[in-house]
Amino acid sequence: MKILFTNDPKWLKKWDDYIVTEDRASHLMLSDWNKSFESYGFEFEICLALENDKIIGGFAAVIAKAMVFKFYIVPFGPIISSDYEEKLNEIIESVYNRAKKRNCCYAQINLPFSDIDNVHLLTNSLKIPFLEKAAKGHLFKYVYSSSGLNWVDLKHLDEEKMIMSLKPSVRRNVRNSYRKELEFKVLDTQEGIENAYRLFLENATNANYTIRNWEDIKNTLFGLNEKGLLKILSVFKSNEIKGAILLVKSGNYYTYILGGSKKETPDLRTGDFLQWEAIKLSINEGLDGYNISLGGSKGVFEFKNSFNTTHYYIQDGQYHWILKPIYFKFYTIVEKKLKKHKKRIANLLSVFKK
């Protein structure tokens, strides 16, 4: 097996093709997703595990920088294709070695382990000796790492069977939304994508949470859209956007990233409408499931669970190495002082701009 670290466009294309079709992959590994960190002064690179020039695994790493500190962060993975699991240990070791070579004070990984069987995750029974040199958990919180899947299982289901499997209240909400003269659109122009994202920003402001600024994320969204990996599903009424959700495809499934809606009386139930359209999209593409994603407020979490989800948590796969203890200790002291200014920070990453 050959290990290759690269940002070469030809290899990035091959990597993205692998991430879209490899069951164990995540949108957090796509090259466009990781390029977005460059707007914060960070770097990224892809590690390819190659067997006769065929990609069999690897990871995407973000090299986060703050003053004199550098951190080597793998938001998801490393991963390995199912026929090559004995090689995963070597790929994990390459994270440690690469972080040292890049002069980082800290490195972390996020292995998609699960004790529940799912083809999109790794079994936690895999033997990985190199993890004995790592400590459990994550100490660096400024690059998002997935905590798992909130899985809507679609195997052997068509639209009718799926909607009949939902709770009566959800079926009623979905069907009522179709009676309210709503117009469904897939937004695939730059103008349409921006309009939807402006709605997401408006919702984030109203609900007092932060998402990335439009200028920081727009090229990422446009790049994903050009590759056919982005879907923005929207609903209009009287030519005005009333709701939208953003999906990204990887690992042979779509992941719900974020959404927003206009507050109306009576409620148009655009959330139910659009999540059902995401499920329909997944069924029509022959996918075995849909990741409606974990997280959110209690109300959002309960809403997602109303679609008969199964939770696959992967926190048992979080590991880290402190490569320069003195540097990292100094960072923790500085980081504590920065926390008090959290409300003045435009988003989670801008605190680490160059």
Side-chain angles (χ1 to χ4, degrees):
M1 181 179 70
K2 177 183 177 182
I3 298 292
L4 174 66
F5 291 90
T6 184
N7 274 325
D8 183 284
K10 292 180 181 178
W11 277 114
L12 292 184
K13 183 182 184 305
K14 292 180 180 180
W15 171 254
D16 286 338
D17 291 342
Y18 173 76
I19 294 306
V20 172
T21 58
E22 166 55 47
D23 284 335
R24 291 169 168 174
S26 162
H27 70 281
L28 299 177
M29 308 177 82
L30 290 165
S31 64
D32 285 292
W33 190 270
N34 286 276
K35 283 178 186 176
S36 70
F37 290 102
E38 293 178 340
S39 64
Y40 302 105
F42 294 1
E43 300 176 29
F44 85 97
E45 63 184 13
I46 304 299
C47 173
L48 307 177
L50 301 171
E51 193 83 9
N52 299 320
D53 281 340
K54 172 188 174 184
I55 300 175
I56 62 170
F59 59 87
V62 176
I63 298 90
K65 294 183 286 185
M67 297 177 290
V68 298
F69 310 112
K70 290 174 70 176
F71 310 87
Y72 200 83
I73 309 300
V74 179
F76 192 95
I79 64 167
I80 193 75
S81 296
S82 59
D83 294 337
Y84 302 91
E85 290 174 346
E86 74 281 358
K87 299 181 183 293
L88 182 58
N89 185 71
E90 184 179 347
I91 303 174
I92 292 172
E93 185 174 359
S94 73
V95 175
Y96 177 87
N97 293 334
R98 184 66 172 179
K100 291 186 71 175
K101 186 173 183 179
R102 295 295 301 259
N103 201 31
C104 296
C105 67
Y106 172 89
Q108 71 185 32
I109 60 176
N110 190 32
L111 297 164
F113 283 157
S114 175
D115 57 1
I116 306 175
D117 186 40
N118 185 297
V119 297
H120 300 284
L121 300 169
L122 292 165
T123 173
N124 58 10
S125 63
L126 289 175
K127 303 299 182 184
I128 304 176
F130 195 78
L131 289 180
E132 294 176 8
K133 294 185 64 174
K136 284 196 171 184
H138 284 173
L139 303 180
F140 186 86
K141 308 293 185 180
Y142 294 95
V143 174
Y144 173 76
S145 292
S146 172
S147 57
L149 303 175
N150 199 3
W151 192 248
V152 181
D153 194 352
L154 302 176
K155 290 193 296 290
H156 314 303
L157 293 176
D158 57 22
E159 290 181 24
E160 185 60 27
K161 289 179 180 177
M162 181 62 204
I163 198 167
M164 291 307 298
S165 73
L166 301 178
K167 296 177 181 179
S169 59
V170 179
R171 293 202 303 270
R172 182 170 58 252
N173 289 338
V174 170
R175 286 167 173 162
N176 284 345
S177 66
Y178 280 95
R179 301 189 185 105
K180 294 177 179 178
E181 299 180 358
L182 303 180
E183 182 183 4
F184 173 69
K185 295 181 181 180
V186 179
L187 302 179
D188 56 5
T189 66
Q190 291 191 359
E191 181 182 4
I193 293 169
E194 180 174 0
N195 288 339
Y197 201 83
R198 297 294 181 191
L199 177 61
F200 303 153
L201 286 166
E202 178 184 319
N203 272 228
T205 299
N206 293 339
N208 197 30
Y209 63 89
T210 56
I211 62 175
R212 295 190 188 189
N213 295 327
W214 169 245
E215 292 299 320
D216 292 336
I217 196 67
K218 66 178 184 180
N219 290 335
T220 296
L221 300 182
F222 294 159
L224 291 169
N225 185 58
E226 288 174 6
K227 295 174 182 176
L229 305 181
L230 179 78
K231 294 288 185 183
I232 293 187
L233 311 184
S234 68
V235 59
F236 284 71
K237 187 171 184 179
S238 301
N239 294 319
E240 180 185 357
I241 190 169
K242 297 296 184 181
I245 60 174
L246 188 156
L247 315 177
V248 176
K249 191 175 186 181
S250 64
N252 285 316
Y253 61 88
Y254 284 101
T255 293
Y256 167 66
I257 306 299
L258 74 166
S261 62
K262 297 283 188 181
K263 303 305 178 186
E264 302 278 339
T265 304
D267 193 340
L268 296 177
R269 307 302 305 190
T270 58
D272 300 84
F273 180 100
L274 290 169
Q275 292 298 344
W276 174 244
E277 287 293 338
I279 290 171
K280 285 170 57 179
L281 172 68
S282 300
I283 291 173
N284 291 336
E285 291 192 16
L287 306 179
D288 66 346
Y290 166 55
N291 179 24
I292 200 170
S293 77
L294 295 164
S297 65
K298 181 180 178 181
V300 169
F301 196 67
E302 289 175 352
F303 166 74
K304 292 176 179 179
N305 292 344
S306 69
F307 288 89
N308 290 349
T309 60
T310 302
H311 303 160
Y312 295 93
Y313 291 103
I314 62 174
Q315 58 262 50
D316 286 344
Q318 295 180 349
Y319 289 87
H320 71 268
W321 298 270
I322 297 175
L323 306 173
K324 295 183 177 182
I326 295 176
Y327 270 70
F328 192 76
K329 179 64 177 177
F330 183 43
Y331 155 74
T332 61
I333 295 171
V334 173
E335 196 260 350
K336 285 180 181 178
K337 294 183 181 295
L338 289 173
K339 279 185 177 179
K340 68 177 69 174
H341 302 293
K342 186 175 180 181
K343 290 186 178 180
R344 298 171 57 191
I345 298 173
N347 53 60
L348 289 176
L349 297 176
S350 63
V351 67
F352 292 114
K353 278 186 178 180
K354 276 185 174 178

